[in-house]
Amino acid sequence: MAMVVQQHQQQHKEISGNNSIDKHQLDNGKYVRYTTEQVEALERVYAECPKPSSLRRQQLIRECPILANIEPKQIKVWFQNRRCREKQRKESSRLQTVNKKLSAMNKLLMEENDRLQKQVSQLVCENGFMRQQLHTGSSANDASCESVITPPQHSLRDANNPAGLLSIAEETLAEFFSKATGTAVDWVQMPGMKPGPDSVGIFAISQSCSGVAARACGLVSLEPTKIVEILKDRPSWYRDCRSLEVFTMFPAGNGGTIELIYTQIFAPTTLAPARDFWTLRYTTSLENGSLVVCERSLTGSGAGPNPASATQFVRGEMLPSGYLIRPCDGGGSIIHIVDHLNLEAWSVPEVLRPLYESSKVVAQKMTIAALRYIRQIAQESSGEVIYGLGRQPAVLRTLSQRLSRGFNDAVNGFSDDGWTVMDSDGVEDVIIALNSSKNLSNSMNPSNSLAYLGGVLCAKASMLFQDVPPAALVRFLREHRSEWADFNVDAYSAASVKANPYSYPGMRPTRFTGSQIIMPLGHTIEHEEMLEVVRLEGHALGQEDPFMSRDIHLLQLCNGIDEHAVGACSELVFAPIDEMFPDDAPLIPSGFRIIPLDPKSGDGKNALVTTHRTLDLTSSLDVSPASNHGSTDMSASTSTRSVLTIAFQFPFENNLAESVATMARQYVRSVINKVQRVAMAVSPSNLVPSVDPKPSPGSPEALTLAQWICQSYTYHLGADLLSTGSVVGDSLLKDLWQHQDAILCCSLKSLPVFIFANQAGLDMLETTLVSLQDITLDKMFDDDGRKALVPEFAKIMQQGYTHLPGGICMSAMGRHITYEQAIAWKVLAADESTVHCLAFSFVNWSFV
């Protein structure tokens, strides 16, 4: 094989018109020209290994005769250039995708701007009209100009013939368009949801209209037909949807269809009845290629399939709502969503009515959930999402839906599912329901057949909390299961999914080590929902099988544990599973749901500004229900309520139903008592408002401790701990709390325990201030770390401080942490002679 090497200028002329020849430049300024066969050979190797080693390149030259006369250095340069071209191609493709997304988002924002300008013009006209009426003395009723749509009530006669249904469908389409792209409803931007290229979409809620309404528009990289298919399958993305049944379907004009649909919606708590809807759904296409799905209720509570079967439901009304999906240039779609409902708030206790009168709740549970789900499917389809333990995205979505649905089934306890309520023991705090129709046999493992079981028993209760942050409470329950759960009860439930026959709790005593390991399976794109496997470590107490593992595995779903995320509630739902659980493993979900009950939370003119909170620093010094730390005024000004729903399910045999019911009732009461103590610890009596934007004075103890920490650091090390220069007051407390390094303080006892940590310290230890005192200093380090730390104590007490080299420590969850270095110093009291505690600062820490 001849290989031609020439000077730069001559080589460029020679190959400028030859597209089939590859050229690369060597370091000396010369080009090497490759034939088509040589390029194909190199491309085959590149497909297998884009970055071959030196030995692999030499082997390639030996094994491929057509490359025999090419030097290894030239082969190396070819692969370098090939990788560079691949990187440039990917970057160019990414930039083109971003450009298309930005162009579509710009178009969407321009349309939204036009709609807002129309709305402003309409409001100006209405304002002028009202001024004129007031000036002429007209009655206020005649001057009323609220932009409220009152949909016409359609009679049963209209709904009983295709012509009448088509007329209703066309009216529904027109009214839906007036809400989705017009000014029929006064939309205001939903608090905390800012539009942008990386946002889910643009979200708005109604300011003043009949019922509750929410609107969304966003860009999704799926084709319109796929999006319509997803959105029409409401149970797949709306977790509260129990069932959707199409009773009648017939064609309409323009290739559209009209459907009569009966939908059942779960109640979120045991304190309220469920809802159902009898609606007409109209699907059609427009001339510009857009697809529309619009829907509305036909009549009131008297219509629908078999009214007798709907006795456990309250009939809700769906005002004209739907979806508009428009194709985008270059692929993808722009979606407009409108949800407009009348949830009949009169039918629930007054304390729960904010849930049924809040447009923000509708937006969180339906509108935002729909758009998020579509985006999740789009990212999974493009391969952008990677999940753990080898599970496919569709499988994990199904597992999440099964957990959520199983929990909702337990909370609602519908009679047509086989649930019956047992007589109480005289105290109505816990409801016990039985379901003997549950078949938990595992078809994947015949030896694990549970068909002999009597069924499933559910113990459930709901209660109200005052000033308890839902996210903080659920986060604590997730991270500190040993604080509220009984391992033997977990073992009893877990036995139902194992091949070994289970027994009543206590017959096979097991010791729980207190250790739980959380293994993530997957999460949604905005991390508002997480699916994980939890392993609880246990050991047998008796002589039988002393080395047999008693570990318990739980499949766990977490929602709303981030205060900054937009969600309707915070949930912790779990179910025992076998260690190698199959995709269709039987699940018996239990868990907690906490729903905030802010009056009209986030709704237009009634929007409330949510104050971010952090745990009171003094709660780490003295956690006591009686201590208020001067936060009464703050609690009164931002008082909020929430409702907690607990539902625990237990398998039982027929001859043990009464015993299991007694155990379940006692266990749930015990859990309630423990959760109430936790709620008291994380309530505003142990919280202070954020010092941003307007500082509120913290407790004297917190400010004093922060001042001592910083002053002692300066006294011993001759430098400022805080770069901001804050020396007193709330600004010092804020800067210390937000310091990037993990700052921890421990007591001077024979077994030092932590009494304070800033936010970074809590993140590093994976704990809360409530549980901080349960962590001792020696638990942070292994044997080598403890041995290295002991001699440093003498140096600290003698010179006041010491520098510790980088190393490894452990969090409260058992995860290893590396840190670049640590500084320890004595924290002196005001008299500068009394040592109050020891402080540590861990620099540049991270999880291994």
Side-chain angles (χ1 to χ4, degrees), residues 219-231:
L219 175 67
V220 179
S221 56
L222 288 177
E223 295 304 313
T225 53
K226 178 64 175 177
I227 296 173
V228 168
E229 177 186 343
I230 294 172
L231 291 175

Side-chain angles (χ1 to χ4, degrees), residues 312 406 409-421 432-438 456-460 649:
Q312 292 183 273
D409 280 335
V411 170
N412 286 261
F414 294 114
S415 58
D416 57 351
D417 281 339
W419 290 99
T420 58
V421 178
I432 302 294
L434 293 176
N435 191 333
S436 299
S437 64
K438 290 271 189 178
V456 174
L457 179 147
C458 178
K460 53 190 176 182
Q649 297 191 76

Side-chain angles (χ1 to χ4, degrees), residues 432-598:
I432 302 294
L434 293 176
N435 191 333
S436 299
S437 64
K438 290 271 189 178
N439 188 348
L440 304 178
S441 60
N442 187 351
S443 60
M444 297 294 292
N445 184 1
S447 65
N448 191 15
S449 177
L450 307 178
Y452 66 89
L453 291 179
V456 174
L457 179 147
C458 178
K460 53 190 176 182
S462 294
M463 68 208 72
L464 296 174
F465 282 130
Q466 188 81 16
D467 293 327
V468 175
L473 180 55
V474 169
R475 194 163 54 241
F476 182 92
L477 297 175
R478 170 180 176 261
E479 297 173 357
H480 304 278
R481 187 180 183 87
S482 61
E483 296 292 329
W484 57 267
D486 186 322
F487 183 80
N488 285 314
V489 176
D490 287 332
Y492 170 85
S493 299
S496 65
V497 297
K498 293 185 178 180
N500 299 328
Y502 68 88
S503 58
Y504 187 76
M507 296 183 65
R508 298 180 65 181
T510 304
R511 178 176 63 86
F512 179 41
T513 65
S515 174
Q516 68 173 16
I517 300 175
I518 299 178
M519 297 169 283
L521 279 177
H523 55 77
T524 53
I525 55 178
E526 295 186 17
H527 294 259
E528 72 278 0
E529 179 178 289
M530 298 181 295
L531 184 66
E532 53 201 17
V533 171
V534 180
R535 190 180 77 193
L536 309 176
E537 296 183 349
H539 301 286
L541 292 179
Q543 296 299 320
E544 179 186 359
D545 299 327
F547 300 104
M548 179 179 291
S549 172
R550 293 285 187 257
D551 291 354
I552 293 174
H553 294 81
L554 304 173
L555 183 65
Q556 185 165 273
L557 180 69
C558 303
N559 275 315
I561 62 174
D562 182 2
E563 293 90 344
H564 304 291
V566 177
C569 65
S570 298
E571 286 181 325
L572 183 70
V573 180
F574 50 88
I577 56 172
D578 191 68
E579 182 176 1
M580 301 301 294
F581 69 102
D583 296 342
D584 62 346
L587 298 179
I588 312 175
S590 303
F592 308 86
R593 173 182 291 150
I594 309 175
I595 309 172
L597 297 174
D598 298 346

Side-chain angles (χ1 to χ4, degrees), residues 720-755:
D720 291 331
L721 176 62
L722 305 176
S723 59
T724 56
S726 303
V727 292
V728 293
D730 292 329
S731 60
L732 180 141
L733 185 61
K734 172 188 173 182
D735 294 341
L736 181 65
W737 180 257
Q738 298 178 347
H739 199 281
Q740 63 180 1
D741 297 333
I743 299 176
L744 311 171
C745 292
C746 67
S747 60
L748 288 172
K749 298 180 180 179
S750 57
L751 188 62
V753 298
F754 289 109
I755 61 173

Side-chain angles (χ1 to χ4, degrees), residues 227-246:
I227 296 173
V228 168
E229 177 186 343
I230 294 172
L231 291 175
K232 292 179 73 171
D233 184 17
R234 188 174 288 137
S236 68
W237 56 266
Y238 183 24
R239 293 291 174 82
D240 287 352
C241 184
R242 183 194 184 210
S243 64
L244 185 149
E245 190 171 356
V246 178

Side-chain angles (χ1 to χ4, degrees), residues 1-6 10-16 18 20-26 30-36 38-39 70 74 78:
M1 167 101 50
M3 180 179 64
V4 182
V5 179
Q6 298 182 350
Q10 180 182 356
Q11 177 67 32
H12 178 72
K13 292 179 180 179
E14 223 175 84
I15 66 174
S16 59
N18 190 351
S20 64
I21 295 180
D22 200 49
K23 61 178 187 298
H24 297 281
Q25 187 176 16
L26 296 177
K30 296 183 178 181
Y31 282 108
V32 174
R33 187 173 62 183
Y34 296 87
T35 65
T36 303
Q38 290 173 328
V39 172
I70 302 180
Q74 296 168 350
W78 186 93

Side-chain angles (χ1 to χ4, degrees), residues 185 187 204-206 209 211-215 338-341 359-360 362:
V185 174
W187 300 111
I205 53 180
S206 62
C209 73
V212 289
R215 173 180 174 270
V338 172
D339 291 307
H340 194 173
L341 306 171
S359 294
K360 181 180 178 182
V362 171

Side-chain angles (χ1 to χ4, degrees), residues 626-769:
S627 60
N628 192 31
H629 305 307
S631 60
T632 304
D633 295 339
M634 182 275 298
S635 298
S637 61
T638 61
S639 178
T640 58
R641 288 182 294 185
S642 57
V643 58
L644 167 66
T645 298
I646 299 177
F648 279 36
Q649 297 191 76
F650 306 90
F652 69 90
E653 294 184 42
N654 286 325
N655 60 335
L656 292 177
E658 291 293 335
S659 299
V660 174
T662 301
M663 178 273 293
R665 184 179 285 111
Q666 294 175 350
Y667 179 59
V668 169
R669 285 173 179 165
S670 171
V671 171
I672 289 173
N673 291 333
K674 294 175 182 178
V675 171
Q676 286 175 333
R677 287 198 295 269
V678 173
M680 186 179 298
V682 300
S683 68
S685 61
N686 287 317
L687 296 172
V688 294
S690 171
V691 294
D692 185 35
K694 184 177 181 180
S696 298
S699 61
E701 295 91 339
L703 294 173
T704 300
L705 178 60
Q707 190 170 347
W708 289 353
I709 292 173
C710 296
Q711 289 178 349
S712 299
Y713 185 93
T714 303
Y715 177 81
H716 294 304
L717 284 85
D720 291 331
L721 176 62
L722 305 176
S723 59
T724 56
S726 303
V727 292
V728 293
D730 292 329
S731 60
L732 180 141
L733 185 61
K734 172 188 173 182
D735 294 341
L736 181 65
W737 180 257
Q738 298 178 347
H739 199 281
Q740 63 180 1
D741 297 333
I743 299 176
L744 311 171
C745 292
C746 67
S747 60
L748 288 172
K749 298 180 180 179
S750 57
L751 188 62
V753 298
F754 289 109
I755 61 173
F756 166 75
N758 67 347
Q759 184 63 63
L762 295 178
D763 293 341
M764 185 181 78
L765 292 179
E766 294 189 295
T767 186
T768 64
L769 281 174

